[in-house]
Amino acid sequence: MCREDKNCRVIAVANQKGGVSKTTTSINLGVGLVNLGQKVLLVDLDPQGHLTLGLGFPKNLPVTLKNMMENIIMGIEFDPKDGILHHPEGVDVVPSNKLLTGMDMSLLTVEDREMVLKEYLELLKGSYDYIIIDCMPSLGMLTINAMSAADSVLIPVQPQYYAADGLTELLKVIKGIKKRFNPGLVIEGILFTMDSSRYNNSKRNKKAVADTYGKEMKIYDYTIPRSEAIAETASEGVSIFSYDRKCKGATSYALLAQEVLSHA
């Protein structure tokens, strides 16, 4: 259960660009926090279901996040823990699959449509220290729901050309959500992922992001390296800590978990 002397923190891991390690970061931050003694729930908010699959769960589950959100929309009484999966590494998971695809459109006709996910997560917060939402690679209604429910947004960024420009739209959305729906929303930080730090191009791109946004928000000093070990974890259904605890990727995600915990 969440300790009485502190609140459950909800973190949305978001970037409208695909392929920046949102899911990998969600999984490894979650397990990293579990390793530090925290109770963690991961929420798969992507119809691709990569977080669900990446932890070894099947595609065709009878109960997913879609069912939970539909129960909220329709005002049906239900057990909010129905369908929560338990992973051997200690994280709990609200799974998703392709059936979530239509939810973006369905939400458009719902009153208080930005708050459906928040309403569901409020029913679960008493059981967790952290809830981490793995957002889909878009800025649609599901992502808006995630930011409306979150205390903070963690932004994974691959240090590629135009990375700084690509953040502009995301930051506009975050500011809009903060103004209209969630005044307490903050940016947890920018985390460089898939980093080939020995290459000058990567160094230049990281500097461009730091120069553009470093005064406005935290940019983590350490980065997540481009790593075969990290890439291989998805097919094994485990975190980097189970797959190769001694690799640089595991060390980096452990540092991230420690820093996130220090913000509590």
Side-chain angles (χ1 to χ4, degrees):
M1 302 291 287
C2 273
R3 297 171 179 81
E4 292 183 0
D5 62 347
K6 73 171 189 176
N7 295 319
C8 176
R9 288 182 60 204
V10 181
I11 301 173
V13 180
N15 191 326
Q16 79 272 26
K17 290 191 67 176
V20 295
S21 298
K22 289 188 296 293
T23 298
T24 300
T25 296
S26 298
I27 290 172
N28 290 301
L29 172 58
V31 175
L33 287 166
V34 167
N35 292 341
L36 294 172
Q38 304 301 296
K39 181 69 173 173
V40 178
L41 176 68
L42 302 179
V43 179
D44 191 344
L45 197 65
D46 188 344
Q48 297 177 93
H50 286 170
L51 185 144
T52 303
L53 297 173
L55 285 171
F57 298 111
K59 292 181 180 180
N60 300 318
L61 293 162
V63 182
T64 65
L65 179 61
K66 175 180 181 287
N67 304 103
M68 301 295 99
M69 293 182 72
E70 286 177 340
N71 289 339
I72 294 292
I73 290 168
M74 294 185 288
I76 297 172
E77 288 191 18
F78 69 106
D79 184 345
K81 295 185 179 180
D82 280 351
I84 288 181
L85 306 175
H86 309 285
H87 191 268
E89 292 185 73
V91 288
D92 287 352
V93 180
V94 180
S96 288
N97 55 30
K98 63 183 180 180
L99 296 178
L100 188 65
T101 302
M103 184 58 67
D104 244 13
M105 293 298 295
S106 298
L107 286 168
L108 293 176
T109 63
V110 175
E111 187 176 356
D112 295 328
R113 56 187 175 268
E114 299 86 3
M115 299 297 177
V116 174
L117 181 62
K118 178 180 176 66
E119 190 172 340
Y120 171 54
L121 295 185
E122 288 292 333
L123 302 175
L124 297 171
K125 287 173 73 172
S127 297
Y128 297 96
D129 296 304
Y130 288 88
I131 296 175
I132 297 171
I133 308 168
D134 181 28
C135 297
M136 63 191 299
S138 80
L139 297 176
M141 189 53 64
L142 285 173
T143 300
I144 290 171
N145 262 254
M147 293 183 186
S148 297
D151 298 301
S152 62
V153 182
L154 177 63
I155 308 172
V157 174
Q158 189 176 353
Q160 294 180 327
Y161 192 57
Y162 291 137
D165 293 339
L167 287 169
T168 303
E169 186 177 357
L170 175 62
L171 296 176
K172 285 181 180 178
V173 171
I174 292 172
K175 289 179 181 178
I177 296 296
K178 182 179 178 70
K179 183 176 181 179
R180 296 184 61 196
F181 307 114
N182 188 0
L185 183 65
V186 298
I187 295 175
E188 189 79 25
I190 291 175
L191 176 71
F192 290 114
T193 60
M194 304 174 71
D195 181 24
S196 302
S197 57
R198 65 184 181 276
Y199 294 119
N200 288 333
N201 186 53
S202 179
K203 293 176 182 178
R204 282 195 299 270
N205 294 332
K206 286 187 289 186
K207 184 177 185 301
V209 172
D211 289 346
T212 305
Y213 299 110
K215 293 181 180 179
E216 299 178 47
M217 65 197 71
K218 178 176 182 59
I219 298 176
Y220 293 99
D221 292 330
Y222 47 85
T223 68
I224 309 300
R226 184 179 293 277
S227 161
E228 284 299 316
I230 292 176
E232 290 165 359
T233 57
S235 62
E236 299 298 322
V238 297
S239 76
I240 191 60
F241 301 105
S242 285
Y243 190 77
D244 187 355
R245 181 175 290 272
K246 295 182 179 180
C247 75
K248 291 181 179 179
T251 300
S252 296
Y253 276 120
L255 287 170
L256 175 64
Q258 290 167 10
E259 185 148 1
V260 168
L261 183 59
S262 74
H263 295 172

